[in-house]
Amino acid sequence: MSQDHPDLRESYLFDRPTIRDIQRAADKGIYHIRGGGAKRRLPHFDDLVFLGASISRYPLEGYRESCGTDVTLGSRHAQKPLKIDIPITIAGMSFGSLSANAKEALGRGASEVGTSTTTGDGGMTQEERGHSSKLVYQYLPSRYGMNPDDLRKADAIEVVIGQGAKPGGGGMLLGQKISDRVAEMRDLPKNIDQRSACRHPDWTGPDDLEIKIRELREITDWQVPIYVKVGATRTYYDTMLAVKSGADVIVVDGMQGGTGATQDCFIEHVGIPTLPAVRLAAEALQELGLHRTGVQLIVSGGIRCGADVAKAIALGADAVSIGTAALIALGDNRPDLAEEYAKLGSAPGFYDDWQAGRDPAGITTQDPELSKRLDPVQAGHRLANFLRVLTLEAQTLARACGKSHVHNLEPEDLNALTIEAAAMAKVPLAGTGWIPGQGF
Amino acid sequence: MMREIDLTEGDIRQLNRILQRRDGNEDANFTVTNPMGRHALAAGLMHDIKVQIDGHVGYYCGGMNKHASITVDGNAGVGVAENMMSGLVRVKGDASQSAGATGHGGLLVVEGNASSRCGISMKGIDIVVQGSVGHNSAFMAQSGHLVICGDADDGLGDSIYEAVIYLRGEARGLGADCIEKEMTDDHRATLKGLLDRAGIVADAQDFRRYGSARQLYNFKIDNVGAY
């Protein structure tokens, strides 16, 4: 029953959003493309709670006893592993999808708190390199802007196999976001849709990937770590294969992970949530004897707060990565832009037309006038503030569990509130000792 | 002076460090013997040097090359001269898949045949193949030239952007949005220049030109059958 029509019975199957989708498709004749990640309710970190210290566990004093947050990434093969001060990094987002000011702000914010940011499809910009003390360079199927000079300027390389919003899918930067500069960086004409391939052009399968990774190491003289990023699907096997291929760091992006522009049906219906993905990846590393020792795990997809950070780490991640939350921290979906969002048929809290290039916040746009609205210094500081809060929150929860470093968090510190979450995270359902799938 | 490096017991990492001049050497001419199909040989070179490799090479020989002239006196594995920026890579035998993939500049010459996806996503590189190429060559090719003196298998130039294909033989089939285009005197002059640079004798009059119909540059639902 709907609240505004108490006498009418709404169909569960054909509810109003579904009817609107059908009407929109009939009207437009094309699928719905949008930004962001999966919007539907999924089992997530909210479905877990920490078991704070009690008689059998000894907590640490908040604000007095230290709780470490530093992470070393890439100690397996790299001559210069990447050391970050907090267990939160900024995920790859392209210049093209984002404005130059937004990329600069991400670099400034990350650098202010001693962590890394990541390039994206489209290559490395000078602003981004200049304002990022630790920069991860993505190696993507399109190879837009890829060149050995930038490769050697990177602090780490991330070979992107897929992303959580669209595992198995490529990308499309729509023509309206192709400025002169974006076109030049990508070696394509202005104003045309720029497709990002879904497969790498010169390798197929894990045996080839191993050779590709060795080539990248030869070009960079084995100096920097090489990550492999996958969208969460067959996560256990992908993790095993990425390790076998020689990756230093595995990045697993759950289906809540955002995108600049992807079909809604793809975002909502492909991949698995972050919650089971982190556990599957960690289990693979544990079986290989490399968890918390040889190969690091970064998890992304729907990280919003310090509790999400702490829970991801407790389930086995060494660090997390944020994208959507970082854009919100910069100023995306700000309430004071309500009037402008309304003109675009949206509202603060709902704006996801990141593909359209008309972002009033100046973040997901290449329009020079709109881009100017984002002050990279101020926005970068807002991001740094947000990252500090995430870190403080994660430390608070870790101390409550008696941990002197966030990496000491473990699944044993967690209970689940739902059967689904218990099964996916492989922790007991609260009030029971039951982990579904592992007997009684 | 020619410096010889024997890979019978040599280490690839050591070889590439020498060729990248990371050890401070200033040698300009190298001969690499006994490559035995090993991967990533002469990858990431950065200087105007000459490298002769006597034998077959594995994947990614000359990958991301900048400035160097590399000659492979044998066959080359997958992704020879991938993402090359400048310089020259010459393969005297055949090349496997994805030759010159995503290359931004320089010249790749294959004196034999090249397998599938030759010039995939090329971004400014020039590629001259004396023999034939496999399927989906110049797939999503963005810019640069692909010269094929023999034939091309199915899907030639599928989803091509602004790259130009010159084909002397027959294409089994053209890919989506790839069409034959008028061959003007300017094009023949460009082609002649490419053949001359490659050192391959062929008459530019015998070639046809292919490129993008530009119908798929912006998504239109009317083109859904092409996707």
Side-chain angles (χ1 to χ4, degrees):
Chain A
M1 187 191 300
S2 64
Q3 290 178 343
D4 45 353
H5 298 289
D7 299 330
L8 302 178
R9 182 180 176 192
E10 184 169 13
S11 167
Y12 183 83
L13 192 63
F14 285 90
D15 61 1
R16 279 170 289 179
T18 303
I19 290 172
R20 273 200 302 276
D21 282 346
I22 294 170
Q23 291 166 337
R24 193 209 60 78
D27 184 37
K28 304 281 187 190
I30 187 172
Y31 41 47
H32 179 205
I33 294 177
R34 66 172 175 85
K39 289 185 173 182
R40 61 174 159 148
R41 172 91 169 85
L42 292 164
H44 198 41
F45 296 119
D46 285 342
D47 301 319
L48 303 178
V49 288
F50 278 106
L51 304 177
S54 53
I55 293 176
S56 61
R57 301 289 188 279
Y58 194 82
L60 296 186
E61 193 66 58
Y63 307 109
R64 289 293 177 270
E65 290 177 298
S66 68
C67 176
T69 60
D70 59 302
V71 186
T72 299
L73 300 161
S75 52
R76 186 184 189 198
H77 294 301
Q79 297 284 317
K80 296 177 186 168
L82 181 56
K83 296 183 178 182
I84 53 177
D85 296 338
I86 62 172
I88 308 147
T89 69
I90 305 300
M93 290 175 275
S94 74
F95 168 66
S97 175
L98 301 188
S99 65
N101 279 357
K103 291 297 286 178
E104 181 181 330
L106 292 172
R108 285 178 178 274
S111 301
E112 194 175 321
V113 294
T115 191
S116 61
T117 186
T118 310
T119 61
D121 218 354
M124 182 190 289
T125 65
Q126 286 180 344
E127 297 98 313
E128 188 173 28
R129 178 63 276 189
H131 292 287
S132 305
S133 60
K134 304 167 201 285
L135 183 61
V136 181
Y137 189 28
Q138 285 196 327
Y139 188 75
L140 291 126
S142 73
R143 313 275 167 87
Y144 288 138
M146 171 54 56
N147 70 79
D149 298 327
D150 287 345
L151 202 63
R152 292 183 182 113
K153 287 180 201 158
D155 298 295
I157 298 163
E158 183 172 285
V159 179
V160 179
I161 315 293
Q163 67 182 92
K166 47 180 174 180
M172 177 82 90
L173 191 63
L174 297 180
Q176 57 263 38
K177 292 182 81 170
I178 311 300
S179 64
D180 288 330
R181 187 178 178 197
V182 172
E184 185 184 345
M185 283 182 69
R186 297 179 181 220
D187 302 285
L188 280 171
K190 196 180 171 189
N191 295 327
I192 72 168
D193 298 340
Q194 298 194 348
R195 283 165 290 175
S196 297
C198 63
R199 302 187 298 268
H200 281 264
D202 57 354
W203 64 269
T204 308
D207 293 336
D208 285 5
L209 175 59
E210 181 176 359
I211 301 169
K212 173 54 71 176
I213 287 175
R214 286 187 68 89
E215 183 208 11
L216 294 173
R217 291 199 195 280
E218 287 297 319
I219 292 169
T220 54
D221 198 28
W222 294 69
Q223 295 296 302
V224 299
I226 296 187
Y227 305 180
V228 169
K229 177 177 181 176
V230 291
T233 53
R234 299 171 183 85
T235 305
Y236 172 84
Y237 296 104
D238 283 343
T239 303
M240 286 275 189
L241 292 170
V243 171
K244 180 261 175 196
S245 300
D248 295 305
V249 176
I250 314 297
V251 183
V252 175
D253 191 23
M255 71 181 288
Q256 297 99 320
T259 169
T262 297
Q263 302 94 329
D264 180 77
C265 69
F266 207 146
I267 299 170
E268 298 288 357
H269 296 283
V270 184
I272 64 171
T274 306
L275 183 63
V278 58
R279 201 72 166 104
L280 291 167
E283 281 180 356
L285 294 178
Q286 283 159 359
E287 284 186 32
L288 294 167
L290 294 168
H291 186 239
R292 295 262 195 265
T293 53
V295 173
Q296 288 75 46
L297 173 64
I298 298 177
V299 167
S300 55
I303 303 292
R304 307 152 297 170
C305 59
D308 289 349
V309 176
K311 290 170 186 175
I313 291 172
L315 291 178
D318 292 278
V320 301
S321 207
I322 61 169
T324 303
L327 299 188
I328 294 168
L330 293 187
D332 175 66
N333 272 290
R334 270 164 36 209
D336 61 295
L337 295 171
E339 233 174 79
E340 300 209 44
Y341 285 130
K343 288 179 197 164
L344 300 171
S346 191
F350 296 90
Y351 184 69
D352 61 6
D353 287 327
W354 298 347
Q355 81 289 348
R358 294 179 291 168
D359 183 358
I363 297 170
T364 58
T365 183
Q366 289 301 315
D367 182 296
E369 290 306 312
L370 292 174
S371 298
K372 271 189 222 162
R373 294 182 180 184
L374 188 78
D375 177 344
V377 177
Q378 192 182 54
H381 188 58
R382 287 175 58 84
L383 174 62
N385 275 342
F386 177 58
L387 291 168
R388 286 190 189 99
V389 171
L390 294 186
T391 307
L392 285 169
E393 288 176 344
Q395 285 175 301
T396 299
L397 296 170
R399 282 197 191 95
C401 295
K403 313 296 186 182
S404 59
H405 195 288
V406 290
H407 283 174
N408 295 336
L409 287 165
E410 55 194 322
E412 195 272 338
D413 293 314
L414 293 167
N415 265 189
L417 301 177
T418 67
I419 293 173
E420 290 85 353
M424 292 180 186
K426 297 175 184 170
V427 300
L429 182 67
T432 76
W434 180 42
I435 300 175
Q438 297 190 8
F440 292 89
Chain B
M1 194 180 96
M2 181 72 73
R3 179 170 173 184
E4 183 175 330
I5 302 171
D6 187 347
L7 283 181
T8 305
E9 298 192 7
D11 179 70
I12 301 300
R13 191 173 177 190
Q14 189 183 20
L15 169 74
N16 284 327
R17 282 187 63 80
I18 292 168
L19 297 180
Q20 292 169 8
R21 290 183 169 170
R22 290 185 186 276
D23 63 349
N25 80 80
E26 294 189 354
D27 297 329
N29 287 285
F30 297 87
T31 296
V32 179
T33 56
N34 298 303
M36 296 180 289
R38 290 159 86 177
H39 307 304
L41 294 178
L45 304 196
M46 304 178 256
H47 304 283
D48 183 10
I49 61 172
K50 287 189 169 58
V51 181
Q52 164 88 20
I53 303 176
D54 290 339
H56 307 309
V57 297
Y59 284 40
Y60 311 133
C61 177
M64 296 205 193
N65 180 48
K66 206 170 172 186
H67 304 306
S69 294
I70 302 164
T71 299
V72 178
D73 196 354
N75 302 321
V78 171
V80 63
E82 66 87 18
N83 213 85
M84 179 157 65
M85 305 303 292
S86 62
L88 168 71
V89 174
R90 178 181 296 277
V91 180
K92 294 202 164 185
D94 296 325
S96 185
Q97 300 176 53
S98 305
T102 75
H104 291 252
L107 175 66
L108 168 64
V109 182
V110 179
E111 295 187 3
N113 303 300
S115 185
S116 56
R117 291 178 279 277
C118 178
I120 183 171
S121 292
M122 53 194 278
K123 296 167 169 58
I125 189 175
D126 293 322
I127 304 174
V128 180
V129 180
Q130 191 163 21
S132 299
V133 298
H135 69 266
N136 275 37
S137 287
F139 177 68
M140 290 179 77
Q142 296 175 212
S143 60
H145 302 88
L146 173 60
V147 179
I148 306 156
C149 299
D151 301 321
D153 203 352
D154 244 348
L156 179 67
D158 194 296
S159 305
I160 191 171
Y161 290 98
E162 293 298 299
V164 178
I165 300 169
Y166 295 109
L167 174 66
R168 183 162 67 172
E170 297 297 320
R172 186 189 296 266
L174 299 180
D177 214 27
C178 182
I179 57 170
E180 183 174 350
K181 295 187 162 185
E182 183 188 2
M183 187 83 171
T184 66
D185 288 343
D186 284 349
H187 296 120
R188 288 189 192 92
T190 300
L191 173 57
K192 183 176 183 311
L194 289 163
L195 290 165
D196 288 347
R197 280 171 61 205
I200 288 177
V201 178
D203 189 343
Q205 299 285 346
D206 298 338
F207 286 76
R208 285 173 290 168
R209 181 172 72 102
Y210 297 86
S212 179
R214 305 189 178 104
Q215 295 301 303
L216 303 182
Y217 274 13
N218 293 92
F219 185 87
K220 296 182 202 126
I221 195 63
D222 296 341
N223 292 332
V224 72
Y227 295 106

